[in-house]
Amino acid sequence: MADLSELLQQGMRRRHLNAQALAARTGIRTPRIRVFAQDGACGPVHPTQAELAELAAALALPLPEVLDAARTPEAAPAP
């Protein structure tokens, strides 16, 4: 299981995007993306579900993989 910071850094390299370009694609502020890429989900700034979904879409990553890397469970259906 990859950490969110590793996953974002790999996705950004693969897509040739920096934090500013990713911010322009997602609408997430550049400083927040930099913190997520540096500290992951365990840093001082925690990503929201919506931000994780936007990042996954912008980097063409599977949402469950991004959620798992952020250790944020998906909304599980009630049994």
Side-chain angles (χ1 to χ4, degrees):
M1 174 177 71
D3 178 69
L4 181 63
S5 64
E6 294 172 11
L7 194 63
L8 290 179
Q9 289 174 19
Q10 290 171 359
M12 289 167 61
R13 269 194 305 272
R14 190 173 47 247
R15 296 258 177 217
H16 304 287
L17 297 171
N18 61 18
Q20 195 169 17
L22 187 55
R25 281 187 170 193
T26 62
I28 301 169
R29 295 181 54 215
T30 304
R32 288 184 68 82
I33 291 176
R34 284 188 184 132
V35 170
F36 301 155
Q38 184 176 20
D39 299 332
C42 299
V45 179
H46 303 284
T48 65
Q49 290 279 126
E51 288 172 330
L52 292 171
E54 287 182 56
L55 290 169
L59 296 173
L61 297 169
L63 181 57
E65 185 177 339
V66 173
L67 293 175
D68 188 43
R71 291 172 184 80
T72 304
E74 284 185 273

